[in-house]
Amino acid sequence: MKFKPANKIQDLQYFGEFGGVNPSISDSSTYTFLSAKTMFDTFEGNADGCYLYSRHSTPSNLYLGEALAAMEGTETANVTASGMGAITPVLLQLCDAGDHIVSSRTIYGGTYAFLKNFTPKLSIQTSFVDITKLAAVEASITDKTKVIYCETVSNPLLEVADIQGLATLAKKYNLKLVVDNTFSPLSVSPIKLGADVVIHSLTKFINGSSDTVGGVVCGTQEFIDELRNVNDGACMLLGSTMDSLRAASVLKNLRTLHIRMKQHSANGAYLAKKFEDDGIKTVYPGLASHPSHELFKKMMNVEYGFGGMLTLDVGSLEKANELMELMQHRNLGYLAVSLGFYKTLFSAPGTSTSSEIPEEEQEEMGLTDGLIRFSIGLDNDIERTYEEMKQCMVEIGIL
Ligand code: PLP
């Protein structure tokens, strides 16, 4: 049967403590034991179903983790206080001093800064490569390499990683393939394609209401247990734990993700086609002109579409800023970083979310000054949105 990730969420069944249709929220930082022996066993990791302390795990976090694991098709998952709070412990858990990472060079600016500026302090070095060129990835692997790291659809350039090709390389050299799937939840299922660990910033599409930051690591039971280990687990010891109240609210939003993703994708595809036809340099994985369009088609779960992220290059930073300010003034969206909201969000990544990347490197990877990254919202009347956006472009001389 065809893999349908949202169906797995649909099939989950949890009741609250008093028969509530939502699970009860565990509003406690610590848990009591009827016997001292059980407390000891729990510390040792040998008391299934018992809770110890909320930095380790909580019932609310486990419910959300299980739902996300079901969506990604992994054995289990650990939710974290932010996307970076998921990415950093995973990499620190997988790498020791002296190890090496091969990473896509087009990744979220915070992840780039962590690998470029922070992990070298721990003697973990990273080679940044063009992830779309498997030969370049393979050529960067050394006997110290432990991890291949990429985003399924990269922030902000929307490059698409060949997860199956990368997984083959990872297996060949005994590496872990870690994939950040933040831009393409439901649309792509990296585990199905051979990835070892999948990460999300829940802050974005999955939560979808721009009211919190959050993250998740989806993987094998063994790896998640390692992350949570009281003696040497990076999630447990670095402390990027999600709060239970938040876990409960993210779980409620997760239930509508499949409906939202279809609408984000339909709106994204509509606008991308229109603006490309108007002669604006448009990047969207759903356009035949995208260099990895066929690859994305091969990897995707068709019903969720090509996602809600697109970029338009309007020629210069001045024009980009002028357009974004005017679009906000006309209530077509917000000039804001982040993504996955009901409103369209837009920003110029070179001076915002990717500003950690030095200018020469931005140029080399094709991150131009006039690039605007759009997270297309859930607009019901996308035809009207298009007409109004186009009018803004005409008024400031882009069209
Ligand atoms: N991964 C991607 C692709 C992102 O876009 C972001 C944030 O913008 C992150 C990770 C980091 O997530 P958070 O801001 O929740 O820490």
Side-chain angles (χ1 to χ4, degrees), residues 82-85 87 108 111 149 151 153 155 180 182-183 201-204 213-215 338-339 353 373:
S82 69
M84 288 308 291
I87 293 164
Y108 165 59
T111 313
Y149 184 89
E151 295 171 1
V153 178
N155 184 357
D180 178 339
T182 300
F183 275 31
S201 165
L202 300 178
T203 315
K204 314 291 163 32
V213 288
S338 203
L339 41 131
T353 50
R373 185 191 76 178

Side-chain angles (χ1 to χ4, degrees), residues 158 268-277 280-297 306 309-312:
L158 312 183
Y270 180 86
L271 291 180
K273 168 95 178 51
K274 286 286 189 189
F275 287 123
E276 182 172 68
D277 288 350
I280 296 192
K281 208 167 143 202
T282 307
V283 175
Y284 181 70
L287 291 174
S289 58
H290 189 290
S292 301
H293 177 63
E294 291 304 321
L295 170 66
F296 196 102
K297 273 189 2 196
F306 293 89
M309 301 302 296
L310 62 89
T311 67
L312 300 179

Side-chain angles (χ1 to χ4, degrees), residues 55-66:
R55 178 156 41 80
H56 186 243
S57 72
T58 76
S60 299
N61 288 12
L62 290 186
Y63 288 135
L64 176 60
E66 289 314 307

Side-chain angles (χ1 to χ4, degrees), residues 230-249:
V230 293
N231 293 307
D232 59 6
C235 278
M236 179 65 182
L237 298 178
L238 298 175
S240 62
T241 309
M242 180 177 270
D243 180 70
S244 290
L245 296 174
R246 270 307 177 195
S249 77

Side-chain angles (χ1 to χ4, degrees), residues 21-313:
V21 294
N22 288 304
S24 309
I25 300 173
S26 50
D27 194 22
S28 296
S29 59
T30 190
Y31 299 81
T32 180
F33 291 87
L34 290 178
S35 86
K37 165 90 171 55
T38 320
M39 181 186 267
F40 175 77
D41 289 344
T42 307
F43 254 99
E44 297 285 294
N46 298 328
D48 260 3
C50 289
Y51 296 93
L52 181 67
Y53 184 64
S54 288
R55 178 156 41 80
H56 186 243
S57 72
T58 76
S60 299
N61 288 12
L62 290 186
Y63 288 135
L64 176 60
E66 289 314 307
L68 290 162
M71 179 184 92
E72 285 297 358
T74 56
E75 286 174 10
T76 189
N78 192 46
V79 294
T80 54
S82 69
M84 288 308 291
I87 293 164
T88 55
V90 164
L91 294 173
L92 294 178
Q93 194 74 35
L94 292 174
C95 296
D96 292 327
D99 287 344
H100 174 250
I101 296 170
V102 175
S103 169
S104 166
R105 63 182 185 175
T106 66
I107 48 174
Y108 165 59
T111 313
Y112 178 88
F114 177 67
L115 292 173
K116 176 101 177 175
N117 308 326
F118 195 96
T119 50
K121 292 200 285 191
L122 309 170
S123 297
I124 299 167
Q125 304 299 335
T126 299
S127 300
F128 294 97
V129 299
D130 180 345
I131 205 74
T132 64
K133 299 205 162 62
L134 289 178
V137 175
E138 184 161 18
S140 304
I141 295 170
T142 73
D143 57 355
K144 302 266 188 265
T145 309
K146 289 284 160 58
V147 171
I148 300 177
Y149 184 89
C150 68
E151 295 171 1
T152 311
V153 178
S154 76
N155 184 357
L157 293 177
L158 312 183
E159 284 178 354
V160 176
D162 175 354
I163 311 243
Q164 262 167 327
L166 293 169
T168 305
L169 281 182
K171 300 248 162 357
K172 179 169 167 192
Y173 293 95
N174 198 24
L175 316 175
K176 295 288 181 212
L177 175 60
V178 178
V179 178
D180 178 339
N181 200 28
T182 300
F183 275 31
S184 45
L186 296 178
S187 292
V188 179
S189 303
I191 294 291
K192 190 177 76 170
L193 301 168
D196 296 292
V197 178
V198 176
I199 292 173
H200 283 277
S201 165
L202 300 178
T203 315
K204 314 291 163 32
F205 288 105
I206 290 181
N207 185 53
S209 53
S210 292
D211 57 0
T212 185
V213 288
V216 67
V217 183
C218 302
T220 60
Q221 186 71 51
E222 189 186 358
F223 183 58
I224 300 299
D225 285 348
E226 276 171 35
L227 285 171
R228 285 200 195 120
N229 189 293
V230 293
N231 293 307
D232 59 6
C235 278
M236 179 65 182
L237 298 178
L238 298 175
S240 62
T241 309
M242 180 177 270
D243 180 70
S244 290
L245 296 174
R246 270 307 177 195
S249 77
V250 176
L251 179 62
K252 284 178 259 187
N253 289 346
L254 176 66
R255 295 168 183 157
T256 57
L257 179 67
H258 57 301
I259 301 167
R260 290 185 280 114
M261 283 316 295
K262 288 176 192 177
Q263 186 76 10
H264 284 299
S265 289
N267 286 352
Y270 180 86
L271 291 180
K273 168 95 178 51
K274 286 286 189 189
F275 287 123
E276 182 172 68
D277 288 350
D278 287 337
I280 296 192
K281 208 167 143 202
T282 307
V283 175
Y284 181 70
L287 291 174
S289 58
H290 189 290
S292 301
H293 177 63
E294 291 304 321
L295 170 66
F296 196 102
K297 273 189 2 196
K298 230 173 56 191
M299 297 199 299
M300 77 194 290
N301 301 310
V302 176
E303 64 188 302
Y304 305 107
F306 293 89
M309 301 302 296
L310 62 89
T311 67
L312 300 179
D313 192 335

